[in-house]
Amino acid sequence: MSSSSSSPDIVSILENSKELDRLRKDQEDVLSEINKLHKKLQTTPEVVEKPGDNSLAKLKMLYTQAKDLSDNEANLSTMLISQLDVLLPPGPQGQPRRRLGTEQKRKRVKTESDISRLTPSMRNQLEACASLKGEQVAARVTPRNADKDEWFVVKVIHFDKELKEFEVLDEEPGDDEDSSGQRQYKLPMGNIIPFPKSNDPSSAQDFPPGKHVLAVYPGTTALYKATVVQGHRRRKTDDYVLEFDDDEEDGSLPQRTVPFHTVVPLPEGHRQ
């Protein structure tokens, strides 16, 4: 391709690159405003009840702006890729080198900017996951080809924001494990449910009677499906009274008292 025909294309690519930088700066500005409003609402949530307050409407507008900017960035990135494909030389000799270079560049860009380009809600979710280091959580550690979900209490060692993956430690493996020592696992975010904090009863949900939950069976470090017998606790620090599935004694399910901070919502699609 001659320089006269490619020059306008290169100018267009450079202009689109500048526009991409502008979009990212605008996203950072909007994200900063969202974080400020989040902090305000966390500090003084009662402000939304005051007449004339527009905090929630402003938050919705900021989220809409963030989504529009993100969509524009994605469209512009797609356009830039198409423009570069036109300029790249064809042929089998250049193909492997170009593919390798593109993959390396894509991997580097993802590593450097993936987290910064996340939506505020996803970023907050990742930060919350990272803050679980050292905490005990409920984890689905299901053996391969198993026909049911198995949940255990494990300790979070590390959370990788880029891979969105937890590294956890099963401190008390059961008697049926191959090894009697502690075992480590790497699990995706969807396999982890944080427990309510024992020193913060307000972090616990108030499950109504009849609600299905996952709960630590008394005297074990395993979680099983259970049904709430007594909900709407008078105090947030009160324990739950539950009936565990498959826990029959003399033909009936015994009611067991379980601390509030060892009960979590039953995940959708849970396999018994």
Side-chain angles (χ1 to χ4, degrees):
M1 186 178 292
S2 65
S3 60
S4 60
S5 61
S6 64
S7 179
D9 293 326
I10 293 175
V11 170
S12 176
I13 288 172
L14 292 176
E15 289 176 350
N16 284 335
S17 296
K18 290 181 181 178
E19 177 66 11
L20 197 61
D21 288 338
R22 186 191 67 78
L23 284 171
R24 287 177 178 172
K25 184 179 183 304
D26 288 348
Q27 287 183 73
E28 291 176 1
D29 293 341
V30 171
L31 180 60
S32 176
E33 290 299 314
I34 288 175
N35 287 337
K36 288 179 184 177
L37 196 49
H38 279 178
K39 189 173 182 180
K40 173 186 173 183
L41 293 175
Q42 288 172 352
T43 307
T44 56
E46 66 277 2
V47 72
V48 298
E49 299 177 4
K50 294 182 179 179
D53 180 76
N54 66 343
S55 298
L56 295 180
K58 184 178 179 182
L59 189 61
K60 180 181 178 181
M61 179 192 70
L62 288 170
Y63 272 121
T64 302
Q65 288 180 355
K67 180 182 181 300
D68 291 343
L69 288 168
S70 180
D71 290 343
N72 290 340
E73 181 189 359
N75 293 335
L76 194 55
S77 297
T78 301
M79 184 187 301
L80 277 164
I81 291 171
S82 299
Q83 289 177 312
L84 288 169
D85 281 341
V86 171
L87 294 180
L88 287 169
Q93 291 183 345
Q95 188 70 15
R97 187 183 301 114
R98 184 164 78 247
R99 184 168 64 249
L100 177 61
T102 303
E103 288 177 355
Q104 289 176 339
K105 182 178 179 181
R106 188 178 298 132
K107 183 176 180 180
R108 184 167 63 250
V109 168
K110 181 177 181 180
T111 301
E112 292 172 353
S113 63
D114 223 29
I115 294 176
S116 65
R117 293 168 60 185
L118 291 172
T119 63
S121 59
M122 266 302 293
R123 185 181 294 186
N124 289 340
Q125 186 179 0
L126 291 180
E127 292 297 335
C129 288
S131 70
L132 291 173
K133 182 178 180 180
E135 298 282 341
Q136 286 191 325
V137 296
R140 184 172 65 219
V141 187
T142 306
R144 185 173 297 178
N145 300 325
D147 58 355
K148 64 178 182 178
D149 291 339
E150 295 184 10
W151 290 81
F152 304 107
V153 178
V154 298
K155 182 178 180 181
V156 175
I157 301 173
H158 176 69
F159 176 69
D160 190 318
K161 291 184 180 180
E162 292 172 9
L163 297 178
K164 299 179 178 64
E165 185 177 72
F166 282 94
E167 186 175 349
V168 301
L169 178 67
D170 185 359
E171 298 178 287
E172 299 181 24
D175 296 335
D176 57 344
E177 296 288 347
D178 297 335
S179 170
S180 59
Q182 298 178 340
R183 303 188 66 181
Q184 289 187 208
Y185 301 92
K186 289 187 176 180
L187 303 171
M189 290 171 60
N191 283 35
I192 298 293
I193 303 179
F195 286 118
K197 295 186 180 297
S198 59
N199 60 352
D200 182 15
S202 64
S203 65
Q205 293 192 37
D206 196 8
F207 299 109
K211 183 72 173 178
H212 295 308
V213 295
L214 270 184
V216 178
Y217 190 85
T220 75
T221 57
L223 291 93
Y224 299 95
K225 182 182 176 183
T227 304
V228 177
V229 177
Q230 290 182 16
H232 303 302
R233 296 163 298 149
R234 286 172 295 180
R235 297 175 303 169
K236 284 287 187 179
T237 53
D238 287 350
D239 295 335
Y240 280 105
V241 177
L242 308 176
E243 290 180 349
F244 285 89
D245 288 16
D246 303 321
D247 188 30
E248 290 188 15
E249 289 184 0
D250 300 327
S252 62
L253 293 175
Q255 297 182 358
R256 302 192 183 276
T257 302
V258 181
F260 74 88
H261 56 85
T262 61
V263 181
V264 296
L266 184 72
E268 291 186 14
H270 176 74
R271 298 178 299 169
Q272 300 182 47

